[in-house]
Amino acid sequence: MNLKKYWKNICLWIIAALLFYSGIQNYASMEESNAAVIELYGTYPDQKRAEEILLSGAKAEEFTDLCFVWNGGMTDLQNPEYVRQTQVAVTGVLGKASLYDREGMALDENDQEGCIIDEKTAVELFGSRNCVGGAVVLNDKTYLVRQAASWNMHRILIHPDAKDTIYTQVLVRPAKGQSKENAASGFLMSNGYFGTLVDDGWLENLTPWFPAAFVLLAAFCIQGIFGRLVKGSRYLRWILTAFLWGGCLFFLSGWITFPYDWLPDKWSDFSFWPEKIQKEMELFRWYVMLPKTAAQAERLCAGMGCMLKCAAATVIMLIADVW
């Protein structure tokens, strides 16, 4: 095989492989969602009512982790020691902060003096990511940094203490074997609120198909290379092809999972698919329109990065194969 003849193809394969590798890194950074995110409307719980719901939930026979979320908008955050300031999005949580984001575990439920900021804000205010224990001032109140989180936007996470705080989101951890939709419905019905589930399940189901498409196309290309390299031995070519596709299918089996809720109870139910697609499209529209938690925003950025990079890698690989 004359490598000089195929140097353009080799360059394209290398570019495609690098894009695919970067996309897989994005895919690996997509943390699985462990909470049902409910956007409330109509009536909102205040600080007192939210504390009552948390207390009653802690006494219930089947305890469910909850987290109430208050979005405080954009404001200035200051470092009085270094006389620096920057703008951040303020988010207040009441309950299990780990439901809002995994790194929220650093903020204890009863910690009214602590906060979590992102790494970019930490660098702007302290000159370093190592700022645990440092003091910041938000709306004339001083908070101590408990952790610098790896969020991609300027944000501060606190526990609000104002009695007039209104919570517009609720995060509910589903019980074992319970769907997010059922967990959200259970909370709304038991507490008399109205809300919409902000579900990003479509992202988790759709994203793996993009790297899978690249792997399948790459397998076809490698099979063609085997055919050109091993021309005289049919059995060796068959053995290499069998190992290639066996490894490819084994590799993909860890990614691709078909959601069982897309299977109708009866195959004769022809209305199931149109209704299911319409329902998923409605959930997708709500997801685009409604505010998202830090974890959802990070998953969205990682998922979109994975899909775009893997799609570009697939196109480049296809161009290299037909060139």
Side-chain angles (χ1 to χ4, degrees), residues 91-164:
T91 301
V93 292
L94 180 66
K96 289 285 185 180
S98 59
L99 293 180
Y100 182 80
D101 186 84
R102 177 180 58 84
E103 297 185 84
M105 291 187 293
L107 190 62
D108 188 78
E109 291 185 50
N110 300 316
D111 187 1
Q112 297 292 336
E113 304 300 326
C115 71
I116 298 176
I117 61 177
D118 64 283
E119 293 179 345
K120 294 179 181 179
T121 299
V123 171
E124 290 184 12
L125 294 182
F126 296 91
S128 170
R129 295 180 177 87
N130 301 320
C131 60
V132 175
V136 294
V137 176
L138 176 69
N139 297 330
D140 297 327
K141 179 177 179 179
T142 300
Y143 292 91
L144 299 179
V145 178
R146 305 304 185 196
Q147 181 171 321
S150 57
W151 299 329
N152 289 324
M153 66 174 295
H154 291 68
R155 185 185 298 272
I156 180 172
L157 191 68
I158 61 172
H159 285 313
D161 56 2
K163 295 182 179 180
D164 58 349

Side-chain angles (χ1 to χ4, degrees), residues 226-239:
F226 285 164
R228 290 190 291 268
L229 290 177
V230 190
K231 293 181 180 179
S233 178
R234 181 185 302 177
Y235 295 107
L236 179 59
R237 188 163 65 248
W238 286 353
I239 292 173

Side-chain angles (χ1 to χ4, degrees), residues 6-321:
Y6 297 100
W7 69 271
K8 292 182 180 179
N9 303 71
I10 294 173
C11 290
L12 290 176
W13 290 335
I14 293 174
I15 294 173
L18 291 175
L19 280 171
F20 175 72
Y21 176 73
S22 180
I24 290 299
Q25 286 184 317
N26 289 132
Y27 180 72
S29 66
M30 287 179 59
E31 297 181 6
E32 185 178 357
S33 174
N34 63 347
V37 181
I38 308 171
E39 181 73 17
L40 300 175
Y41 58 83
T43 304
Y44 303 100
D46 56 13
Q47 185 79 9
K48 181 179 178 181
R49 177 56 180 155
E51 290 175 352
E52 291 175 353
I53 294 174
L54 287 174
L55 183 61
S56 62
K59 295 179 179 179
E61 188 173 326
E62 294 185 2
F63 175 71
T64 302
D65 287 337
L66 298 174
C67 178
F68 292 87
V69 181
W70 164 72
N71 293 305
M74 300 293 296
T75 189
D76 290 333
L77 184 66
Q78 301 174 347
N79 181 340
E81 182 179 359
Y82 297 155
V83 195
R84 296 179 179 177
Q85 72 175 32
T86 186
Q87 278 200 328
V88 295
V90 183
T91 301
V93 292
L94 180 66
K96 289 285 185 180
S98 59
L99 293 180
Y100 182 80
D101 186 84
R102 177 180 58 84
E103 297 185 84
M105 291 187 293
L107 190 62
D108 188 78
E109 291 185 50
N110 300 316
D111 187 1
Q112 297 292 336
E113 304 300 326
C115 71
I116 298 176
I117 61 177
D118 64 283
E119 293 179 345
K120 294 179 181 179
T121 299
V123 171
E124 290 184 12
L125 294 182
F126 296 91
S128 170
R129 295 180 177 87
N130 301 320
C131 60
V132 175
V136 294
V137 176
L138 176 69
N139 297 330
D140 297 327
K141 179 177 179 179
T142 300
Y143 292 91
L144 299 179
V145 178
R146 305 304 185 196
Q147 181 171 321
S150 57
W151 299 329
N152 289 324
M153 66 174 295
H154 291 68
R155 185 185 298 272
I156 180 172
L157 191 68
I158 61 172
H159 285 313
D161 56 2
K163 295 182 179 180
D164 58 349
T165 301
I166 300 297
Y167 295 96
T168 58
Q169 281 185 332
V170 183
L171 313 182
V172 183
R173 189 192 304 277
K176 187 175 181 180
Q178 186 183 34
S179 67
K180 293 181 182 179
E181 188 174 2
N182 290 338
S185 299
F187 170 83
L188 294 173
M189 293 180 63
S190 60
N191 293 284
Y193 288 106
F194 300 95
T196 301
L197 179 66
V198 187
D199 189 11
D200 59 0
W202 65 272
L203 184 65
E204 297 174 0
N205 294 329
L206 180 62
T207 304
W209 291 98
F210 284 80
F214 175 84
V215 170
L216 291 173
L217 180 60
F220 276 112
C221 294
I222 295 173
Q223 183 179 355
I225 294 174
F226 285 164
R228 290 190 291 268
L229 290 177
V230 190
K231 293 181 180 179
S233 178
R234 181 185 302 177
Y235 295 107
L236 179 59
R237 188 163 65 248
W238 286 353
I239 292 173
L240 291 175
T241 301
F243 273 106
L244 171 66
W245 285 104
C248 179
L249 293 177
F250 177 78
F251 190 59
L252 293 179
S253 63
W255 289 353
I256 306 299
T257 56
F258 191 85
Y260 291 103
D261 58 341
W262 278 82
L263 297 176
D265 296 330
K266 296 180 180 180
W267 290 106
S268 58
D269 186 6
F270 298 107
S271 64
F272 174 83
W273 297 102
E275 292 176 357
K276 181 65 176 177
I277 293 174
Q278 183 178 1
K279 181 180 178 181
E280 292 297 322
M281 289 301 298
E282 182 178 357
L283 290 175
F284 174 74
R285 293 189 187 97
W286 282 118
Y287 175 82
V288 172
M289 293 172 55
L290 296 175
K292 301 164 186 60
T293 64
Q296 285 182 320
E298 297 298 319
R299 277 196 301 274
L300 179 61
C301 292
M304 294 301 295
C306 175
M307 288 187 282
L308 291 174
K309 292 173 183 177
C310 289
T314 304
V315 172
I316 292 174
M317 178 66 74
L318 186 60
I319 294 173
D321 187 54

